[in-house]
Every structure is written in structure tokens, then in C-alpha cells.
Amino acid sequence: MDNNNTQNEKINDALPETEAEQTRTRPPLVLPEEDFPVRKRPPVTEEDVKNQEDDGRARPAVSPEDISGGEERQIHDGRITGEKHSEASTAAPVRTRTPEKNREITNGIPTRHSAHSAESVKEAEQGKEKGKFTPVWAGAAVLCVLLMLTVVVFTVNNAYRGDSSRPADFSMGMIPEGDIPRVDSMSFDSLRADGDSVSETAEAETGSDTAVSDTEAGDTESDSPAETAAPETALPETRYTVTIKAYNRDPITVTLGSMTVGELFDVVGFKLRDNDRMYVETDSIIAADTEIVVDSVEYRTVDKTEPIPFTTITNDVRTVPRGQTAVAQNGEEGINTLTYEVEFINGQEVARTLINEVVTKEPVTQILERGIGGELMGSDGVTYTYSHYKVVPATYYNIEGLTWAGTNASENTIATNFNYIPLGTKLYVKNDKFDFGVRTVEDTGTMEGYEVDIWISADNPQLAEFARIGYHYDMVIYYLD
């Protein structure tokens, strides 16, 4: 145990200052002496010694100067380097691979010289002379070094398993990336100890450990690409800007990926009303920036009345003064009720369709009478022309004396209301029973309207019959020209 500590201190002194500090802060990887595995070496027979002596005679001896002058590989705290020694090294149990020609026979046992210095060789020979440097201890030293290397290899594999870019964690006792030792067959060959049996046993164990390490390293290498492979980069999803414009509602603008119009309405919570109309189907797929217009469509039933114009007819009559026209019947417009179905979009009328039509009031025809005049044959045999005639009520009187006009009353006199039949108007008075001939309006009285009062003398044969009836409603008066 003291020898190991002495060797570690020598190695630390040989390292640069930074590496020495790292070595001091990091616990040594050398196992305690009591943890070394103990193997029993089989006894050496005379035949083994003879074979080794013959092998030694076949190779020339190598001086310590040749050993120290060659290139050598060293182990410092578990690290393997291939740098050439500038001076002899006294660190133990550092061993290098010695060419076959340097093998010597010492006390009947072939040995290999270390490539450190002559002093190291002398110390080794002194140790052999004293009985301290035995093949058992040499095998134990080699085994210790192999265990140290195994610990280093497993530490490196565990530290870099699955992610080779992960930096070493010094707090966990890991080795920095630049100091990772490379363990190969040459490294193990350089560490063979004295004694064939011990060397073969160590090489067998080393081969087993190396196989395990290679297997684990292989697993690590095979797993590493899968674990560190970058995931396949997915193309970014295309997104579209969609605006929903609905009548009498706030517009909605969203940006989203491709989906159907119905799915868009579900996402934004937009509900179609019964009277809403849009111009795309709900299963249409949104594949571009777009604007969805939703109109409010409403249908109403509207009644509208239209006038029906009346017609006018003109009749030629003799009851109207010649050349004049009188309204016999006033015309009235009719009423036609129309029922429409009106379409409103966003409150504006866009179309209407007539669905019913009913005449709720018939028009009244206007009748006009135009006077054309006429002719009549009098009881005296004379033909008279007149402008028009009227049927009026008639009475009689026979007061003698002066008339309103200042003439003497006679069979030529007739009294009227001057407001209807003016003074001086010439009339021919008759009906189906009576014929009073030509009369002139010379007198007046309390007559109403177109009523006439005929003057009849006492000796007129028509008086008795006319007086018996008293009041006649069908008397016809002709307005003579």
C-alpha cells in the first residue's frame, strides 16, 4: 500500500501543474491492496525453467540504456500516453512493452525490462535479490493495472453512452474528453508481467474484459445513432386567414390550418340561423385565405292594393240641350288587392313574386249624356224643332188678369219657377193624354224645381179631365228653338 502511494506521488510530480491539481482533487483509481484478487500460481517445474533458459539464450540481452532510449507507453493515474521519456522514470508499477530481444533469464526465469531507466532495472534486481519482487507480486501489479483500465473503460462508456457530445462530469469522477485513454491490443501487450503463467492468466482475463468492453462499446455505438439521430423535420402546417361576415353580427377573423367550413364554425362557435344563407357548402375544405359571407334571407307576404280605373260611355240623348254633355252617372275606380311573396336579403327587398290577386271593389262606369235635339209634330200640324225636353210635374190655373210679364193671361201663358225655367222660355207642353201646344213663360208662382202651372180657360175641353186628376207627374215640356 505504501509503494502504491509513493508511485502515485511520483506520477503527480511528473505531470503538469494543472493535471497534478486535477489528480489531487480526484480520488485515485488504484484499488486498495486488500482488494487485489489473489490467485495461486502453480509450482514451477525444472522443465519450465529449462524451456525459459533456452528461450533466453536465443535472445541477446538488452542494456538499460537501450531500454530507456526507446519509445515507451506509460500509465499515469489510469491514462495511457505514447510520449517518449525525457529521463528515466522511477514510477512503479509502470511497465512498457519490451522488445523480445530484451528478454533475459534471471534466476532461471525469463523477464522483461522496463523502458524507464537503469535505476529502475537496478531497483528491480535488488528487489529480486531480497526476495520481495516475485512473480506473484508482478502478476498482482499487472492485474491491478488491468482493473484500473477496466474501471476507466467502463467509466468512459457509461459517461458517453447514448450521447457522444455530452461533456464529462468531473464531479462524478469522469475523465475529461481530451484525456480518454485508448485501450487496444498494443496497450495490453505492453502491460504483460514477468512469468509466462501469470502473463497468460492476465492476458486471458484481459481478453475477457476486453471482449466485454468491446461488446458494450459496440452496443453503445449501435445505440448512439438511433438515440442521437435528429428527428425528421416536419414541414410547417400551412395556415389560412378566414373571415366570417354575417348580417347584423360582428365579423370573426381567425388563422388556422386546413379544415372544412363546418369544422371552422364549430371551432369559433358560429351558429347558422334558420334564415341564414351562405354561398359555400359546410363540407367545403378551406385551402386559401378567404371570406365567408352569410346573408340573412327573409320571405314575407305583402298585400298591395291597386286602383281599377272606371270606364266612361257617352250617350246621345234629347233630354240635354243640344250640344251640351251632362253626367248621367259618375264613374268610380275599383280596387284590386295583390298578394306578393317578397324576398329580403339583409333587410333589403331584392325580389317579389305575385301569388294571389283579388278584385275587392268593382269600378263604376261613368255615363255621359250628350244633347242632340229633335223634332216633333204639333197638334196644329206644325213641325217644331227643339233642343231638349224634360218630364216635369204639372198643375193648372185660370185666373184672369195681368201676368208677371204684364201681359193678359191666355191659352199661351205658363207659369214656372224662374230659377229653373227662365222668364220668356218657349215650351211645347204635352203628354200622352193632353196636348196644350206652344206656351211662353210669362208668369210665376210657388212652384218648386221644374214644376209648371198651365193656364187653362174655362171653356177648354181638356179642363174637366185635367182638373179631375189635379196633379200630373208625367207632363213633357220641349224647349223650342
Side-chain angles (χ1 to χ4, degrees):
M1 190 68 178
D2 296 336
N3 293 333
N4 292 336
N5 294 334
T6 304
Q7 294 172 5
N8 292 334
E9 291 177 359
K10 291 180 179 181
I11 293 173
N12 292 335
D13 293 340
L15 293 174
E17 184 178 356
T18 55
E19 296 183 2
E21 291 177 358
Q22 295 178 5
T23 305
R24 296 188 190 99
T25 58
R26 195 165 53 240
L29 298 178
V30 180
L31 296 175
E33 183 176 0
E34 55 269 22
D35 293 338
F36 289 168
V38 179
R39 289 184 173 89
K40 292 183 180 180
R41 178 176 177 175
V44 180
T45 63
E46 293 180 0
E47 185 179 356
D48 293 336
V49 173
K50 183 177 179 181
N51 292 335
Q52 291 178 0
E53 288 177 354
D54 294 339
D55 189 18
R57 295 190 190 97
R59 297 182 181 87
V62 180
S63 64
E65 287 77 6
D66 294 334
I67 296 175
S68 61
E71 293 185 357
E72 57 186 4
R73 296 171 62 86
Q74 298 188 82
I75 297 178
H76 292 282
D77 267 348
R79 294 175 296 160
I80 302 175
T81 63
E83 298 180 357
K84 183 178 179 180
H85 285 288
S86 60
E87 59 184 24
S89 174
T90 58
V94 177
R95 297 181 181 275
T96 62
R97 182 172 183 177
T98 304
E100 295 296 329
K101 66 181 181 177
N102 293 335
R103 295 173 60 92
E104 294 181 353
I105 303 299
T106 304
N107 293 332
I109 299 175
T111 61
R112 290 190 182 96
H113 291 285
S114 174
H116 295 294
S117 64
E119 296 179 359
S120 300
V121 175
K122 292 180 180 181
E123 290 178 2
E125 292 177 353
Q126 293 175 2
K128 292 178 182 179
E129 293 176 358
K130 297 179 181 180
K132 295 181 180 180
F133 192 81
T134 62
V136 175
W137 283 108
V142 172
L143 183 59
C144 178
V145 173
L146 293 177
L147 290 174
M148 292 170 58
L149 289 176
T150 303
V151 172
V152 170
V153 170
F154 280 113
T155 304
V156 172
N157 287 337
N158 292 334
Y160 292 91
R161 182 181 298 275
D163 187 2
S164 60
S165 63
R166 179 178 176 183
D169 187 355
F170 290 98
S171 63
M172 297 297 293
M174 297 181 183
I175 299 174
E177 183 177 0
D179 296 335
I180 298 175
R182 178 180 178 185
V183 181
D184 52 17
S185 59
M186 293 298 295
S187 300
F188 286 110
D189 290 341
S190 64
L191 298 175
R192 290 179 180 174
D194 295 336
D196 290 341
S197 61
V198 175
S199 177
E200 291 174 359
T201 304
E203 288 178 0
E205 294 178 358
T206 304
S208 176
D209 295 340
T210 305
V212 174
S213 300
D214 292 341
T215 302
E216 294 181 358
D219 294 340
T220 303
E221 292 176 359
S222 63
D223 295 338
S224 178
E227 295 177 0
T228 60
E232 185 175 338
T233 303
L235 294 176
E237 182 183 9
T238 304
R239 300 179 70 81
Y240 307 104
T241 300
V242 182
T243 300
I244 303 173
K245 288 187 176 181
Y247 172 69
N248 207 21
R249 285 190 268 184
D250 295 334
I252 301 173
T253 301
V254 293
T255 301
L256 36 69
S258 179
M259 61 177 62
T260 64
V261 175
E263 292 172 344
L264 168 64
F265 287 172
D266 293 338
V267 170
V268 301
F270 182 84
K271 300 294 184 182
L272 286 173
R273 299 171 181 171
D274 294 339
N275 59 338
D276 284 346
R277 176 196 295 172
M278 62 179 183
Y279 305 95
V280 295
E281 300 296 333
T282 55
D283 57 355
S284 299
I285 298 177
I286 299 171
D289 295 345
T290 185
E291 183 178 275
I292 300 175
V293 178
V294 180
D295 291 331
S296 176
V297 181
E298 184 178 0
Y299 293 92
R300 304 176 192 169
T301 301
V302 178
D303 291 336
K304 182 180 179 181
T305 59
E306 293 180 350
I308 302 175
F310 59 84
T311 59
T312 301
I313 60 176
T314 301
N315 299 325
D316 293 335
V317 296
R318 292 178 174 84
T319 58
V320 177
R322 182 187 298 112
Q324 295 183 10
T325 302
V327 178
Q329 177 178 292
N330 291 322
E332 296 182 2
E333 292 181 341
I335 298 175
N336 191 23
T337 301
L338 306 174
T339 302
Y340 293 92
E341 184 182 62
V342 183
E343 181 182 4
F344 294 87
I345 297 181
N346 299 335
Q348 301 294 324
E349 179 181 342
V350 295
R352 61 171 51 199
T353 303
L354 179 64
I355 59 176
N356 193 24
E357 180 178 3
V358 176
V359 177
T360 54
K361 182 182 179 182
E362 294 289 347
V364 177
T365 303
Q366 178 174 269
I367 301 175
L368 298 179
E369 294 180 341
R370 181 176 61 221
I372 59 175
E375 293 179 351
L376 62 86
M377 180 64 70
S379 58
D380 56 0
V382 179
T383 301
Y384 298 94
T385 61
Y386 60 91
S387 65
H388 63 285
Y389 69 87
K390 286 185 179 293
V391 177
V392 298
T395 59
Y396 83 98
Y397 79 103
N398 54 9
I399 298 173
E400 296 181 358
L402 297 175
T403 62
W404 177 267
T407 63
N408 292 319
S410 65
E411 293 289 341
N412 294 326
T413 301
I414 190 172
T416 64
N417 185 336
F418 294 157
N419 293 326
Y420 292 92
I421 303 174
L423 180 65
T425 300
K426 283 187 176 184
L427 302 174
Y428 193 99
V429 181
K430 64 174 287 192
N431 64 6
D432 294 340
K433 292 180 179 182
F434 304 97
D435 187 348
F436 297 104
V438 176
R439 301 282 179 136
T440 302
V441 177
E442 297 175 339
D443 206 357
T444 187
T446 58
M447 289 71 69
E448 296 180 358
Y450 288 95
E451 181 181 351
V452 296
D453 194 6
I454 302 172
W455 195 89
I456 300 174
S457 64
D459 57 354
N460 191 321
Q462 301 180 82
L463 177 60
E465 185 65 21
F466 192 87
R468 185 181 63 82
I469 299 174
Y471 202 89
H472 299 266
Y473 292 95
D474 55 351
M475 190 60 64
V476 181
I477 61 174
Y478 295 90
Y479 289 83
L480 299 177
D481 292 334

